[in-house]
Amino acid sequence: MSKRIDVSDLDVYYGDFLAVEGVTMTIEARSITALIGPSGCGKSTFLRTLNRMHEVIPGARVEGKAVMDGVDLYGKHVDPVEVRRQIGMVFQRPNPFPTMSIADNVLAGVKLNNRRLPRSEQEEIVERALTGANLWNEVKDRLNRPGSSLSGGQQQRLCIARAIAVRPQVLLMDEPCSALDPISTLAIEDLMNELKDDYTIVIVTHNMQQAARVSDRTGFFNIAGTGKPGRLIEIDDTSVMFSSPSQKATEDYISGRFG
Amino acid sequence: MTAVSVPPKPVRRRRRLPAYAPWAVLAGALGVGALLSLLSGTFTFTGALLFGALVHVVAITTLSAVVEGRRWATDRLATTLVTAAFVLAAIPLVSLVVLVLRFGMERFSWTFLNDDMVGIFGASVEGGVFHAIIGTLWVTGLCSLVAIPLGILTAVYLVEYARPGPLKRAITVLVDVMTGIPSIVAGLFAATLFMVVVGPQYKAGVMGAVALALLMTPVVVRSVEEMLRLVPNELREAAYALGVPKWLTVVKVVLRTAIAGITTGVMIAIARVIGETAPLLLTVGIVANVNWNAFDGRIATLPVYVFRQYAQGGASVDRAWAGALTLILIVMLLNLVARLVSRYFSPKGAR
Ligand SMILES: Nc1ncnc2c1ncn2[C@@H]1O[C@H](COP(=O)(O)OP(=O)(O)O)[C@@H](O)[C@H]1O
Ligand SMILES: [Mg+2]
């Protein structure tokens, strides 16, 4: 249940503004790819192009290729809705649906799509997804309470459960821990380690230790100056990136000399 | 860094006025106000209140300045002024309700609600509003049937689908202009429309409904638009990221999240048109009997009923007040329903 994505020559625009330029990289299956880089260099923008969430912003568009399973996600006749069902996403700020209970939040992918499932199957999905997100033990007695009654860290794990409940091939995470305390962060990092057996994971993070701890490969984005497009400087195995990167800029960034 | 080397002053304790002080001052001030009113010529109640209020503002501020210091005196002054503004604003509202209740209760009764005006003349004290209630329900109901879906769909288009451009701007401007249409113009428009399309003899409740729909739609659009804009974008994105198509996201996330606010907005819009008189005078007129058919013949409505009864004078004036009371009760009932609906739908447990 996981796929690799081959991105080649991807340019990402907001209207006329070129935000990210010429990204070529391979996102390996069953592994965690971390994207690091200074603020505003286009990590979030690039991540959102992978499941075609970028184009929901008015005027936003993408040029280039992102091939998964031999199909170009940006090819003709590819339905973005279909892409998003295969490539799930977890956002920076936890965003459970406020009108839904914990269980309904997990089932949101099913219920919002008007799919009907027998009760037993629904319960099974809820338990599987919540267990997968390391949340089951904490909420199993209050599945009918509103999702917003949970703590921030629990809400974020609820959002992860919601994303994996629809069994995507790939999971994108945009700074999933930046609003969380260290303990919740640890819980989510453990979770990612378990999830990578089944999913391809791409995570954007500002936290260098986190990238070093959890990821198998690390990509470094940088920007030449404000108004200039962001670029992928290099991508390699995490151990290589953190010990002997081939680019000077990467070394400076990782050792904390700028950014 | 000289500021750091100066040892900080200890936090001082301040003497405060006791909690009953403002009330005591108020009572005293009202006494002085009564005295002043007496001195200024003849004693009037309003005079006493006015003078009393002025004396109170000065007295409480001075007293506070002496005992508590300047900052607290400013606080007292502001509190007093804000409270006075609130009381001033509440006076018309309360007196309106009291007035309608007092005059309305003269004739208001169960029989009044269940009687029509067939065979009632001049000084007769019988008669009721049943026919007008039915008419108002018909006209407002038909109007809502058109205006609510139209308004909600327009708002959904504007907020969720329209791209910035001439079409969106044109619709927004048109809605703005429509909000400002005087109700009599809407009535004239509906009357003329039906005259041209159906014929000059045609009179029916549906004409009034069209006129009211013209007034109600922009109000619905406006309030629903506001509500939809309040739905955080993150929720839309969360739904998209789960592979939910846009229309389902709009229906099941955006509208569902905003439904409490939408209900309130719609109810306010209904309350706004249910009391409209001018366009109904022009279109549906008034009759004495119950007309169950909104598509044929004149139909009585509560506002026009009140207008006619009041214009006739004499014993009819009591009926006018009772009719007004009925109208207010209906609006309050609608409000109650709206509150229950929004309580039921609003997000729960968000601390
Ligand atoms: N919705 C948007 N509209 C226009 N420009 C945007 C939008 N979102 C981000 N940008 C621009 O794109 C660039 C990259 O932003 P982003 O991807 O958020 O950076 P990062 O996630 O690496 O901090 C920035 O210059 C930012 O100003
Ligand atoms: Mg970002």
Side-chain angles (χ1 to χ4, degrees):
Chain A
M1 261 225 318
S2 71
K3 304 250 168 77
R4 60 180 258 177
I5 304 178
D6 292 294
V7 179
S8 50
D9 276 328
L10 204 73
D11 296 332
V12 192
Y13 294 85
Y14 289 103
D16 293 330
F17 172 60
L18 177 60
V20 178
E21 187 180 28
V23 175
T24 301
M25 71 159 81
T26 298
I27 293 162
E28 300 289 353
R30 282 175 218 279
S31 69
I32 300 181
T33 304
L35 304 178
I36 59 172
S39 255
C41 66
K43 306 178 298 292
S44 302
T45 304
F46 172 71
L47 192 73
R48 290 165 57 95
T49 59
L50 293 178
N51 67 340
R52 297 194 61 171
M53 281 293 287
H54 179 64
E55 63 207 48
V56 306
I57 296 166
R61 67 201 160 82
V62 175
E63 285 167 13
K65 273 187 169 184
V67 179
M68 181 171 84
D69 243 358
V71 177
D72 179 10
L73 300 180
Y74 283 94
K76 259 190 195 166
H77 309 303
V78 173
D79 182 0
V81 170
E82 208 56 50
V83 173
R84 290 176 205 143
R85 282 180 190 168
Q86 308 248 338
I87 306 182
M89 184 156 200
V90 175
F91 296 84
Q92 185 167 358
R93 282 204 301 170
N95 53 359
F97 295 111
T99 53
M100 296 183 191
S101 67
I102 293 173
D104 283 348
N105 259 290
V106 177
L107 290 169
V110 175
K111 294 207 159 172
L112 292 179
N113 277 315
N114 276 343
R115 287 220 325 265
R116 296 209 192 294
L117 291 178
R119 223 191 158 69
S120 56
E121 205 169 323
Q122 291 189 2
E123 279 162 9
E124 197 191 308
I125 292 178
V126 170
E127 182 166 355
R128 172 175 60 79
L130 284 174
T131 310
N134 264 335
L135 192 60
W136 175 249
N137 285 328
E138 286 158 71
V139 301
K140 63 176 179 234
D141 303 321
R142 44 173 172 157
L143 291 175
N144 289 318
R145 301 266 302 126
S148 45
S149 66
L150 297 174
S151 77
Q154 291 172 326
Q155 286 188 20
Q156 192 63 301
R157 277 179 281 154
L158 178 62
C159 292
I160 295 175
R162 178 175 71 185
I164 60 181
V166 293
R167 292 179 178 273
Q169 312 282 346
V170 181
L171 201 56
L172 309 176
M173 300 175 143
D174 189 356
E175 298 184 40
C177 304
S178 66
L180 304 184
D181 63 284
I183 295 186
S184 309
T185 302
L186 218 58
I188 288 183
E189 286 179 10
D190 287 345
L191 174 58
M192 280 189 280
N193 260 322
E194 290 166 25
L195 289 178
K196 80 170 178 185
D197 296 337
D198 295 319
Y199 302 92
T200 304
I201 296 179
V202 186
I203 175 178
V204 170
T205 176
H206 265 300
N207 182 332
M208 227 75 69
Q209 287 91 344
Q210 185 171 57
R213 272 196 304 266
V214 299
S215 71
D216 303 302
R217 285 164 61 80
T218 300
F220 172 59
F221 279 76
N222 203 358
I223 187 171
T226 41
K228 302 256 175 55
R231 290 164 172 283
L232 176 67
I233 302 300
E234 66 177 308
I235 180 163
D236 211 327
D237 286 350
T238 299
S239 52
V240 176
M241 285 288 278
F242 278 84
S243 55
S244 50
S246 58
Q247 300 287 323
K248 177 89 167 58
T250 315
E251 197 180 336
D252 287 350
Y253 183 76
I254 286 173
S255 58
R257 245 166 279 166
F258 85 97
Chain B
M1 283 293 131
T2 49
V4 176
S5 57
V6 178
K9 283 190 218 156
V11 176
R12 275 178 306 163
R13 290 156 60 92
R14 269 251 164 239
R15 210 142 57 91
R16 296 295 318 273
L17 287 172
Y20 62 80
W23 299 106
V25 173
L26 181 65
L30 285 179
V32 177
L35 211 67
L36 282 176
S37 169
L38 205 62
L39 287 179
S40 72
T42 48
F43 173 82
T44 59
F45 206 65
T46 345
L49 275 182
L50 263 176
F51 280 123
L54 282 177
V55 172
H56 176 70
V57 171
V58 176
I60 189 76
T61 314
T62 325
L63 182 65
S64 171
V66 172
V67 180
E68 303 177 307
R70 248 195 76 185
R71 192 164 59 83
W72 281 109
T74 319
D75 178 63
R76 296 266 184 209
L77 178 66
T79 310
T80 313
L81 292 181
V82 169
T83 314
F86 164 72
V87 171
L88 225 54
I91 287 174
L93 188 72
V94 172
S95 52
L96 180 136
V97 171
V98 168
L99 202 72
V100 174
L101 270 177
R102 204 173 82 210
F103 290 134
M105 285 317 276
E106 297 266 315
R107 286 296 321 279
F108 192 79
S109 68
W110 185 244
T111 25
F112 180 76
L113 288 179
N114 282 294
D115 210 351
D116 57 25
M117 291 295 285
V118 175
I120 309 288
F121 295 105
S124 164
V125 292
E126 275 103 39
V129 282
F130 183 64
H131 60 313
I133 295 178
I134 298 302
T136 286
L137 291 185
W138 256 124
V139 172
T140 330
L142 282 178
C143 151
S144 307
L145 217 61
V146 178
I148 295 175
L150 192 62
I152 292 181
L153 288 178
T154 309
V156 165
Y157 173 75
L158 284 177
V159 177
E160 304 293 330
Y161 288 95
R163 307 209 156 254
L167 181 61
K168 182 175 179 179
R169 239 176 300 131
I171 295 177
T172 312
V173 169
L174 277 180
V175 169
D176 275 350
V177 171
M178 270 177 78
T179 319
I181 288 183
S183 58
I184 187 80
V185 176
L188 274 174
F189 171 78
T192 316
L193 181 75
F194 277 87
M195 194 147 71
V196 171
V197 175
V198 190
Q201 300 310 320
Y202 187 69
K203 288 274 179 209
V206 67
M207 293 170 69
V210 168
L212 292 191
L214 227 58
L215 296 170
M216 183 169 164
T217 311
V219 183
V220 176
V221 174
R222 259 296 129 90
S223 55
V224 174
E225 222 186 318
E226 294 304 319
M227 289 307 143
L228 295 185
R229 283 191 206 288
L230 285 183
V231 177
N233 221 6
E234 283 128 66
L235 296 184
R236 296 184 181 90
E237 297 207 329
Y240 294 149
L242 288 168
V244 181
K246 182 157 185 172
W247 73 275
L248 275 173
T249 304
V250 170
V251 173
K252 292 191 146 193
V253 175
V254 180
L255 286 177
R256 176 63 187 81
T257 307
I259 188 97
I262 291 177
T263 318
T264 315
V266 164
M267 283 303 157
I268 290 173
I270 293 180
R272 155 101 171 64
V273 297
I274 203 171
E276 276 297 346
T277 319
L280 296 183
L281 263 176
L282 279 179
T283 49
V284 302
I286 185 88
V287 282
N289 59 306
V290 183
N291 179 0
W292 289 103
N293 187 348
F295 298 93
D296 184 28
R298 294 166 188 276
I299 198 166
T301 50
L302 277 168
V304 179
Y305 174 88
V306 171
F307 171 76
R308 273 303 277 275
Q309 295 299 319
Y310 196 81
Q312 276 170 10
S316 296
V317 172
D318 284 344
R319 276 196 288 269
W321 281 108
L325 181 58
T326 315
L327 191 55
I328 290 186
L329 286 179
I330 291 180
V331 171
M332 286 194 0
L333 210 66
L334 282 176
N335 256 310
L336 199 70
V337 172
R339 271 174 186 274
L340 290 180
V341 170
S342 42
R343 164 108 35 108
Y344 178 76
F345 278 117
S346 55
K348 294 162 198 83
R351 281 149 301 196

